[in-house]
């Protein structure tokens, strides 16, 4: 228990314990997730301090007397990873500093926690550092992710913004990653429509990254949330970006890839969404555009459905029935409902000048009696008129 006395904070406080775990672990650490789920955040942290202080206890394999099952190799290796971040650990100080810039730590015990993230199982985040609107549960309830490449085209940028505006009109929260390109266009579209939007960052929420989107992310803070699972001061990395994508997919009711090249990182968000049984959509682009190659790949492999407008996107992530796309009945053509003879005569009739029966019959390839009978029917239904024994078309 010696290490417990060296801790600078109350190990029994669930908020402090989860803040500490977010500093100790990297995103998506499933060993930590399973341990916290088994013992609770506070008890698992106390156990970690105990086994670090007394390695013999870990070698014996008992979870601090709470479980007599032997610790596996994965747990032993995990403790080796975690122990290096214990010295100087001070979650109370971090929470205080984060609070001074308007931030809050949201944990699963909080009613503001977005329970959709629990579908990630052991890979679910242990806590979320939030700036802006901290009611993530409400923001997640009716939400849709719009993701795509940083190096997007004007087409992709326009489509992303247009989809975001349409989704806001349908009372959706627009979710993305705050990056350049499609992400930025989605956030801007939502803000332009005075809607709610959430940006998940790969680095600390105290550092608005990328720097070129600082003003945009500040605007997001006013109308939605900036969220991270890594603590303040954390630097984004490629691995953290990829792990961040699982949060976007799990938080949202559906994911739409607007524009992505063949190997775009945005496709990992679609992969996570599909694994979670969340609907996935992809916006098609020109077949000659490499920037849409990833979207076309998703469509070709039947991993996504085609999305061309906000109504189709809303149908993916909305409520069954209420958000279903209304298929138009289609334009009614005047000749609809005519039999074969009627259609041939209607096609043969001139639109402006009147033509004699013989001319109409010849053009239609019909006999005179058949033509007269058919023209009489067309006159009755308002599709032909005669003048002095000559005929012309009406209605088209």
């Amino acid at each position: 228990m010696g290490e417990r006395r060296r801790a600078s904070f109350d190990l029994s406080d669930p908020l402090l314990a989860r803040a500490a775990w977010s500093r100790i672990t990297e995103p998506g650490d499933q060993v930590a997730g399973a341990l916290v789920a088994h013992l609770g955040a506070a008890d698992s942290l106390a156990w970690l301090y105990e086994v670090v202080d007394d390695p013999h206890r870990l070698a014996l394999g008992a979870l601090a007397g709470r479980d007599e099952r032997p610790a596996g190799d994965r747990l032993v290796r995990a403790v080796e990873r975690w122990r290096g971040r214990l010295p100087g650990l001070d979650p109370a100080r971090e929470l205080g500093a984060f609070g001074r810039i308007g931030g809050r730590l949201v944990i699963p015990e909080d009613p503001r926690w977005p329970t959709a993230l629990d579908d990630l199982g052991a890979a679910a985040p242990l806590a979320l550092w939030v700036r802006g609107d901290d009611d993530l549960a409400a923001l997640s309830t009716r939400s849709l992710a719009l993701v795509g490449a940083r190096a997007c085209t004007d087409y992709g940028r326009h489509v992303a913004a247009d989809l975001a505006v349409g989704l806001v009109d349908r009372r959706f929260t627009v979710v993305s990653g705050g990056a350049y390109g499609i992400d930025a266009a989605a956030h801007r579209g939502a803000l332009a429509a005075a809607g709610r939007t959430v940006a998940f960052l790969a680095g600390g929420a105290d550092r608005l990254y990328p720097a070129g989107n600082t003003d945009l992310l500040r605007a997001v803070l006013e109308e939605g949330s900036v969220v991270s699972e890594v603590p303040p001061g954390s630097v984004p990395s490629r691995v953290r970006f990829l792990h961040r994508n699982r949060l976007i997919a799990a938080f949202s009711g559906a994911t739409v890839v607007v524009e992505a090249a063949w190997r775009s990182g945005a496709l990992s968000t679609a992969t996570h969404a599909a694994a979670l049984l969340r609907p996935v959509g992809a916006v098609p682009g020109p077949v000659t555009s490499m920037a849409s190659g990833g979207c076309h790949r998703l469509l070709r492999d039947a991993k996504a459905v085609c999305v061309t407008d906000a109504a189709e996107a809303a149908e993916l992530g909305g409520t069954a029935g209420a958000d279903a796309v209304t298929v138009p009945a289609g334009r009614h053509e005047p000749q609809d409902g005519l039999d074969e003879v009627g259609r041939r005569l209607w096609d043969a009739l001139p639109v402006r000048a009147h033509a004699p029966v013989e001319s109409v019959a010849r053009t239609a390839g019909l006999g005179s009696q058949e033509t007269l009978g058919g023209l009489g029917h067309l006159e009755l239904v308002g599709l032909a008129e005669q003048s002095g024994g000559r005929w012309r078309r009406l209605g088209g």
Side-chain angles (χ1 to χ4, degrees):
M1 302 294 289
E3 192 69 24
R4 177 190 287 268
R5 291 193 295 271
R6 293 203 295 272
S8 62
F9 59 96
D10 181 3
L11 292 175
S12 66
D13 186 318
L15 186 69
L16 294 177
R18 285 191 176 269
W21 273 115
S22 76
R23 172 65 70 183
I24 293 166
T25 64
E26 280 296 301
D29 189 327
Q30 296 192 42
V31 179
L35 183 63
V36 170
H38 179 63
L39 295 180
D43 283 351
S44 60
L45 186 62
W47 173 84
L48 176 61
Y49 271 100
E50 290 168 1
V51 297
V52 167
D53 188 53
D54 182 7
H56 182 65
R57 177 185 287 275
L58 181 61
L60 290 176
L63 292 181
R66 300 172 178 84
D67 190 330
E68 296 305 320
R69 291 175 294 179
D73 290 342
R74 291 183 66 194
L75 183 57
V76 172
R77 291 195 300 270
V79 170
E80 289 302 308
R81 292 197 305 270
W82 303 334
R83 68 188 307 156
R85 293 184 177 179
L86 289 179
L89 189 64
D90 191 351
R93 178 182 57 80
E94 290 193 316
L95 286 169
F98 195 58
R100 286 192 288 275
I101 60 171
R104 173 192 175 104
L105 185 71
V106 178
I107 62 176
E109 294 83 354
D110 193 315
R112 295 178 175 85
W113 179 259
T115 55
L117 293 181
D118 298 342
D119 290 347
L120 290 168
L126 297 170
L128 293 171
W129 301 82
V130 186
R131 293 176 66 188
D133 187 348
D134 59 18
D135 193 353
L136 299 181
L139 290 168
S140 175
T141 298
R142 186 173 172 83
S143 60
L144 192 141
L146 296 178
V147 299
R150 292 170 176 79
C152 67
T153 66
D154 288 340
Y155 163 80
R157 192 175 294 109
H158 171 78
V159 172
D162 191 57
L163 287 174
V165 170
L167 288 167
V168 166
D169 289 343
R170 292 166 174 80
R171 305 181 312 283
F172 278 86
T173 298
V174 174
V175 184
S176 201
Y180 295 128
I182 296 301
D183 289 15
H187 291 307
R188 287 194 178 97
L191 293 170
R196 313 294 280 175
T197 184
V198 176
F200 279 91
L201 304 186
D206 59 327
R207 298 182 176 183
L208 300 182
Y209 180 89
N213 281 352
T214 297
D215 290 342
L216 171 62
L217 291 171
R218 283 176 178 160
V220 171
L221 288 175
E222 297 299 320
E223 300 297 335
S225 305
V226 170
V227 184
S228 178
E229 68 178 310
V230 295
S234 299
V235 177
S237 66
R238 176 172 174 76
V239 172
R240 286 177 174 175
F241 275 115
L242 292 174
H243 281 298
R244 179 276 311 271
N245 290 346
R246 85 192 194 285
L247 302 185
I248 295 174
F251 184 90
S252 308
T255 293
V256 173
V257 183
V258 179
E259 191 176 50
W262 187 263
R263 296 178 61 85
S264 172
L267 298 181
S268 72
T269 308
T271 300
H272 285 299
L276 292 166
L277 303 182
R278 305 279 200 274
V280 178
V283 176
V287 295
T288 54
S289 174
M290 292 181 64
S292 290
C295 292
H296 297 158
R297 177 184 175 186
L298 289 172
L299 293 171
R300 187 195 66 187
D301 295 343
K303 294 180 178 178
V305 300
C306 182
V307 169
T308 62
D309 58 25
E312 292 175 353
E315 185 179 48
L316 280 182
T319 304
D323 293 294
V325 174
T326 301
V327 180
R331 180 182 174 184
H332 177 72
E333 298 293 342
Q335 69 273 32
D336 289 351
L338 295 177
D339 60 13
E340 176 67 19
V341 170
R343 287 194 297 272
R344 288 169 67 176
L345 287 171
W346 195 82
D347 286 338
L349 285 169
V351 176
R352 295 182 177 83
H354 291 73
V357 172
E358 295 78 5
S359 175
V360 175
R362 186 168 53 251
T363 302
L366 299 170
S368 297
Q369 292 303 314
E370 196 174 25
T371 298
L372 281 172
L375 289 173
H377 176 72
L378 292 180
E379 186 178 28
L380 286 174
V381 297
L383 294 179
E385 71 169 9
Q386 65 167 317
S387 176
R390 299 167 70 90
W391 296 80
R392 77 179 180 92
R393 181 197 301 179
L394 294 179

